[in-house]
Amino acid sequence: MSEIIEIKTANYSVHIGGLKTATLPELIHSKHDFSDCYILVDENTKKHCLPVLRDLFADNGDFDQIGIVEVPAGEEHKNLDTVTSIARYLSTHNASRGAVLINLGGGVVCDMGGFAASIYKRGIGFINVPTTLLSQVDASIGGKVGVDLDGLKNYLGVFKNPKAVYVDPAFLKTLDQREVVAGYAEVIKHGLVADKEYLGLIREHDLGMGPQSMESWRAIIEQSVAIKNRIVTRDPREEGERKVLNFGHTIGHALESFYLGSDTPLLHGEAIAIGMICELYLSSILTGLSEETREGVCSYLSSIFPKRQLDLSSYGEYVATMYADKKNQDGKINFTLLTAIGSPLIDQYVDEESIRRALDYYSGL
């Protein structure tokens, strides 16, 4: 796994492969000539992932000059208060407009770090080094950065591309199985909205972490990054085609937000998996997806993701959260649905009764 695969986007590159053979230190010192460097971590990546970067930069004698910015882990901390703490650290350490922030972590760290970098002193550079499956195939790529507002997902944010993304599949070994499985939801989504053949490959994939599995993971990551990059390059600001990547997210985001403050919060991918099952049902009753396809994919999703018992009495609150979704227009709840695998339809407005029926469908599986 020594070879680095480079996938070029509109104005930066995604490097996939072992960080030991990557060019991250050289990028910082030569190509962009950043004045100073900081690494954003949470308590998990500080323990499990930062040593990899420490060794990488130590080879160049640079690590002692790098500032380490630590934030608490978890979606509940993805807010303006944490962004302020990041900016305050940068300011206290006299980070200049020529600085670069390396976001070492999962989707929360990449989203929040990118947002902090984008607004600090009107913008400094940032580089994503994603460490979870979800962030390696989705969150670190595409230029969306932001934070939540009062539990509403990504309500505050901007479009801002990183200077580069470095994806090392070896970081997946630092995750527990629940995190790996949760990240796989975004992989499955890419197959559902963009590539029927890829979905077939996904269904045969081993979710383990052995040597052979790691080679397979690298192939999966490359394909998912390529799919997302292809879509985002054609529609960087989500004015049309990029909306296909929202499949599963209208209901999924609502459930994730609802349970965030509970004793049993959902991981992002777990919520999106429920959302995809519900939205496959909506696709079958509204946009012509065959029942056979729906049942086959939903059976596959149900075999991977643990069942969450939804509360019938909370349906109204779920729907109310969907009405607050930033993707809506004219007060209508906006979905991406499917006519077939690989054939999505954007801007599908769905009534409350159909949404409730979709939630019932999931509960009845």
Side-chain angles (χ1 to χ4, degrees):
M1 293 183 63
S2 59
E3 181 187 1
I4 297 292
I5 298 298
E6 182 178 2
I7 297 177
K8 292 186 179 295
T9 75
N11 53 12
Y12 66 97
S13 291
V14 181
H15 307 263
I16 303 173
L19 280 181
K20 289 292 186 182
T21 53
T23 57
L24 181 55
E26 289 84 355
L27 173 81
I28 289 172
H29 287 299
S30 59
K31 186 175 180 181
H32 293 282
D33 195 23
F34 297 111
S35 59
D36 40 340
C37 178
Y38 301 84
I39 301 176
L40 179 66
V41 296
D42 61 25
E43 60 261 36
N44 296 323
T45 58
K46 181 180 181 181
K47 177 180 180 181
H48 298 292
C49 305
L50 184 59
V52 176
L53 261 64
R54 180 183 293 116
D55 292 345
L56 192 66
F57 283 95
D59 291 342
N60 291 268
D62 296 329
F63 193 77
D64 290 343
Q65 282 73 51
I66 295 175
I68 307 301
V69 191
E70 184 176 354
V71 295
E75 184 76 27
E76 65 270 26
H77 300 292
K78 185 181 171 183
N79 53 46
L80 282 177
D81 288 340
T82 310
V83 168
T84 299
S85 74
I86 297 169
R88 186 169 288 121
Y89 179 97
L90 295 173
S91 177
T92 300
H93 289 77
N94 299 313
S96 71
R97 292 181 72 174
V100 63
L101 181 65
I102 299 174
N103 300 315
L104 179 66
V108 171
V109 167
C110 290
D111 280 1
M112 191 162 52
F115 184 59
S118 298
I119 61 175
Y120 176 74
K121 292 188 175 179
R122 299 189 187 272
I124 63 173
F126 66 96
I127 293 169
N128 288 333
V129 182
T131 60
T132 64
L133 180 60
L134 184 144
S135 60
Q136 291 187 353
V137 301
D138 190 73
S140 67
I141 300 149
K144 282 185 179 180
V145 296
V147 295
D148 304 339
L149 176 66
D150 299 332
L152 297 172
K153 290 282 294 180
N154 302 318
Y155 240 52
L156 304 175
V158 298
F159 289 95
K160 182 70 173 179
N161 284 324
K163 296 298 183 182
V165 177
Y166 286 84
V167 177
D168 188 346
F171 281 131
L172 299 184
K173 295 178 181 179
T174 69
L175 307 176
D176 61 31
Q177 190 64 13
R178 183 186 177 193
E179 283 279 0
V180 173
V181 171
Y184 210 54
E186 294 288 358
V187 173
I188 295 169
K189 180 197 73 178
H190 290 151
L192 286 171
V193 303
D195 193 329
K196 185 176 181 178
E197 290 186 9
Y198 181 46
L199 183 64
L201 173 66
I202 291 166
R203 295 180 71 158
E204 299 298 321
H205 179 61
D206 174 14
L207 292 175
M209 287 294 152
Q212 290 182 334
S213 296
M214 292 311 295
E215 289 291 344
S216 181
W217 275 121
R218 176 168 165 156
I220 290 287
I221 292 166
E222 288 176 18
Q223 184 73 355
S224 270
V225 169
I227 288 172
K228 181 165 185 181
N229 180 51
R230 185 168 65 245
I231 294 169
V232 168
T233 298
R234 292 194 291 248
D235 179 21
R237 298 186 65 84
E238 199 174 292
E239 296 169 330
E241 182 184 3
R242 185 171 180 167
K243 294 179 183 180
V244 304
L245 297 172
N246 293 328
F247 179 71
H249 283 61
T250 300
I251 290 176
H253 272 173
L255 295 175
E256 183 182 4
S257 295
F258 180 84
Y259 287 106
L260 183 60
S262 73
D263 294 333
T264 55
L266 287 163
L267 295 178
H268 175 74
E270 293 169 341
I272 298 312
I274 299 172
M276 288 193 292
I277 290 173
C278 293
E279 294 176 28
L280 284 161
Y281 173 81
L282 291 175
S283 298
S284 70
I285 66 171
L286 298 175
T287 56
L289 182 72
S290 73
E291 289 189 12
E292 180 182 5
T293 298
R294 178 194 75 194
E295 293 302 302
V297 177
C298 288
S299 175
Y300 172 63
L301 288 167
S302 297
S303 72
I304 298 176
F305 296 94
K307 182 71 177 290
R308 169 59 67 100
Q309 197 65 41
L310 300 182
D311 183 2
L312 179 62
S313 66
S314 299
Y315 276 20
E317 294 178 74
Y318 301 160
V319 174
T321 305
M322 292 177 214
Y323 271 116
D325 193 296
K326 62 186 179 299
K327 301 186 293 293
N328 294 341
Q329 295 179 358
D330 301 323
K332 299 176 183 178
I333 302 176
N334 193 357
F335 286 80
T336 292
L337 300 178
L338 304 178
T339 61
I341 303 302
S343 297
L345 285 177
I346 63 172
D347 295 332
Q348 301 299 298
Y349 301 102
V350 179
D351 62 276
E352 289 187 31
E353 179 57 32
S354 296
I355 294 171
R356 290 173 181 269
R357 287 169 61 189
L359 292 167
D360 283 340
Y361 172 78
Y362 171 78
S363 295
L365 290 176

